[in-house]
Amino acid sequence: MDAKARNCLLQHREALEKDIKTSYIMDRMINDGVLTVSEEEKVKNEPTQQQRAALLIKMILKKDNYSYISFYNALIHEGYKDLAALLQSGIPVISSSSGGKDSVGGITSYVKTVLCEGGVPQRPVVFVTRKKLVNAIQQNLLKLNGEPGWVVIYGMAGCGKSVLAAESVRDHFFLDGCFPGGVHWVSVGKQDKSGLLMKLQNLCTRLDQDESFSQRLPLNIEEAKDRLRILMLRKHPRSLLILDDIWDPWVLKAFDNQCQILLTTRDKSVTDSVMGPKYVVSVESGLGKEKGLEILSLFVNMKKADLPEQAHSIIKECKVVECCHWGILTDLLHKWNLS
Ligand SMILES: Nc1ncnc2c1ncn2[C@@H]1O[C@H](COP(=O)(O)OP(=O)(O)O)[C@@H](O)[C@H]1O
Ligand SMILES: [Mg+2]
C-alpha cells in the first residue's frame, strides 16, 4: 500500500476502530477479492466489536492499494460516510491501465457492463495511456463527494477529451466507489432547440426503460428537464451524467439539475452560468513527439526504439499549431492501414 494511504489509515485508526461494525464491511471486501474467508473468520473470533475492527484494520495495513480502496468503498456503502471522508485524502491513485491487476482494479466485467449500458464509447483500437490526465479527472470527480456539481474537460478539437472522459470511468473501484448508480453518456455536439429536445427525450427514454415514470415523451425542453431531474433523483441516484462535446451554455441549462456531471468542451465558458461547484481539467492541444511515436509503434507493432527514421517525419507531418494532433495522427494511420 502507498505510504500516503497507510499514513491516513494509521492516523484515523482510532476513530475507525471505535465506530465500525466489521461484518458487512468484510462481506464487501471478500466480494472485491481483497479479503479471504479465513481472515474474516479470524476477525469474527475476536470478542468485542472494537477488537474486531482493530484486527481488520491491522490486516488492511498489510495489504495493497486495492484493499484500501475496497475498504473505503465498503465504508461508503455501509453508511459510514463520515469515516470514509477521513480516508479520502489517502486514496491511492490506480489507473485503469495499471496492467496485471486489470481483473481487480481496472476493466472488470462489471465495468464493461456498466459502461456498455451507459453508452460509453470503447477505447480506440490503438490506445496509449494518459495517466496524469485520467487521474486529474478522477480526483476532481472525487471532489464532488457525491454532491451535485461539474467537472469540465476542456481543450482544442481532437486533443483527446472524449477518449479521456471515457477512460476516467473505465475503472472498477472508481466506478463502484463514486458512481455505484452507473454512468450515462450523451453525445451532445452542436444543437438547436429541437436537436436538444430530441437528445433529452432519448436520455429520458434510456433512464426509464420500463416506463415506470411516464409513458409519453416530454413535449418541450422544460418538461424534459423536469423529467430528467426526477429520473436521476429517484431511479438513478449516485450516477454520473457524461455530456460529450458541449458547444453552448444554453444547452447546459437543460442539464443544470442537481446532478453530478462530467462534460467535455472546447469552450471553457460554457459552464459560466451553471449552479454548483465546478472543476476544470485542461487538456493540452499537443500530443508531443513521444506519445506520437508511442501510437505509431503500437500501430506497426514495433518497439519505439526500432522505428525507422520515417516515423519522425510522419509525426512532423501531423503538426497542428505547435504540436502533433491525436485525431489527425490516428486518422492518417487508419487511412494508411487501409491503403
Ligand atoms: N489516448 C489515446 N490513444 C490513442 N488515440 C487517441 C487517444 N486519445 C485520442 N485519440 C485519437 O484521437 C481522436 C480524437 O480524440 P477525441 O477524444 O475524440 O478528441 P476530442 O474529444 O478532444 O475532439 C480519437 O478518435 C482517437 O483516434
Ligand atoms: Mg470529443
Side-chain angles (χ1 to χ4, degrees):
M1 173 182 306
D2 283 358
K4 192 175 75 168
R6 220 185 124 70
N7 287 341
C8 197
L9 205 48
L10 285 170
Q11 191 187 341
H12 300 294
R13 194 175 189 166
E14 230 174 280
L16 291 160
E17 287 175 0
K18 214 168 87 206
D19 283 343
I20 57 170
K21 295 200 179 72
T22 47
S23 63
Y24 293 121
I25 290 178
M26 290 197 294
D27 281 349
R28 289 193 175 267
M29 294 182 71
I30 290 172
N31 260 343
D32 283 345
V34 298
L35 192 78
T36 65
V37 177
S38 77
E39 285 172 321
E40 183 195 31
E41 272 310 302
K42 278 188 199 145
V43 171
K44 278 187 173 164
N45 285 338
E46 291 293 312
T48 66
Q49 179 195 315
Q50 193 155 348
Q51 282 165 307
R52 286 192 284 277
L55 181 57
L56 177 62
I57 291 166
K58 203 169 148 194
M59 285 173 175
I60 298 169
L61 281 165
K62 290 191 192 135
K63 292 176 179 283
D64 60 3
N65 286 337
Y66 293 97
S67 313
Y68 186 97
I69 297 175
S70 171
F71 179 55
Y72 171 83
N73 287 345
L75 289 175
I76 289 195
H77 287 300
E78 295 305 331
Y80 299 105
K81 226 176 160 186
D82 293 347
L83 291 173
L86 297 176
L87 296 187
Q88 202 185 349
S89 64
I91 292 176
V93 176
I94 298 176
S95 160
S96 53
S97 50
S98 53
K101 277 276 193 178
D102 260 8
S103 60
V104 184
I107 312 168
T108 53
S109 54
Y110 163 77
V111 173
K112 285 183 192 153
T113 311
V114 173
L115 298 199
C116 181
E117 280 176 2
V120 177
Q122 295 186 338
R123 274 184 179 168
V125 183
V126 173
F127 170 75
V128 293
T129 59
R130 298 173 90 182
K131 275 190 195 163
K132 265 196 189 158
L133 283 165
V134 170
N135 290 342
I137 298 166
Q138 290 183 338
Q139 292 301 323
N140 281 308
L141 286 168
L142 273 168
K143 280 189 208 157
L144 296 180
N145 205 12
E147 302 294 328
W150 309 77
V151 174
V152 181
I153 306 176
Y154 151 76
M156 266 171 63
C159 68
K161 299 179 296 296
S162 304
V163 172
L164 284 165
E167 220 41 43
S168 67
V169 287
R170 215 182 299 282
D171 181 308
H172 182 102
F173 281 115
F174 184 71
L175 209 52
D176 185 35
C178 295
F179 304 107
V183 295
H184 317 285
W185 181 284
V186 187
S187 302
V188 181
K190 190 159 179 57
Q191 294 297 343
D192 56 13
K193 287 237 160 71
S194 64
L196 175 65
L197 177 59
M198 201 148 73
K199 293 274 171 194
L200 288 165
Q201 287 173 333
N202 292 346
L203 179 61
C204 289
T205 308
R206 259 166 72 187
L207 298 178
D208 190 22
Q209 296 278 1
D210 57 2
E211 296 184 344
S212 56
F213 272 79
S214 178
Q215 272 141 24
R216 70 161 178 82
L217 288 173
L219 298 175
N220 53 57
I221 292 178
E222 205 53 40
E223 190 188 352
K225 181 177 173 177
D226 288 340
R227 180 88 55 90
L228 186 60
R229 182 175 55 247
I230 302 293
L231 285 170
M232 289 295 281
L233 215 68
R234 301 236 187 108
K235 271 189 112 168
H236 303 275
R238 302 207 57 203
S239 67
L240 177 71
L241 202 54
I242 305 182
L243 306 178
D244 188 35
D245 201 19
I246 295 291
W247 285 61
D248 300 297
W250 67 266
V251 166
L252 279 192
K253 289 221 172 93
F255 296 94
D256 194 357
N257 235 342
Q258 299 282 308
C259 305
Q260 298 190 77
I261 293 182
L262 172 64
L263 68 89
T264 76
T265 183
R266 299 170 211 185
D267 175 2
K268 211 170 17 181
S269 68
V270 290
T271 51
D272 277 0
S273 57
V274 298
M275 310 279 279
K278 274 171 260 179
Y279 303 101
V280 179
V281 177
S282 288
V283 183
E284 274 182 31
S285 55
L287 163 62
K289 193 170 156 196
E290 284 313 307
K291 284 283 174 195
L293 288 174
E294 201 177 321
I295 293 188
L296 252 181
S297 70
L298 284 170
F299 233 94
V300 294
N301 209 4
M302 211 185 225
K303 279 193 195 139
K304 226 166 34 174
D306 297 339
L307 286 171
E309 198 44 43
Q310 289 97 308
H312 297 263
S313 334
I314 293 178
I315 301 295
K316 268 195 208 142
E317 277 289 312
C318 309
K319 277 201 171 190
V320 170
V321 198
E322 309 259 10
C323 307
C324 204
H325 185 285
W326 290 78
I328 291 182
L329 174 59
T330 45
D331 276 359
L332 237 151
L333 290 170
H334 281 294
K335 276 185 205 141
W336 176 40
N337 215 11
L338 290 175
S339 63

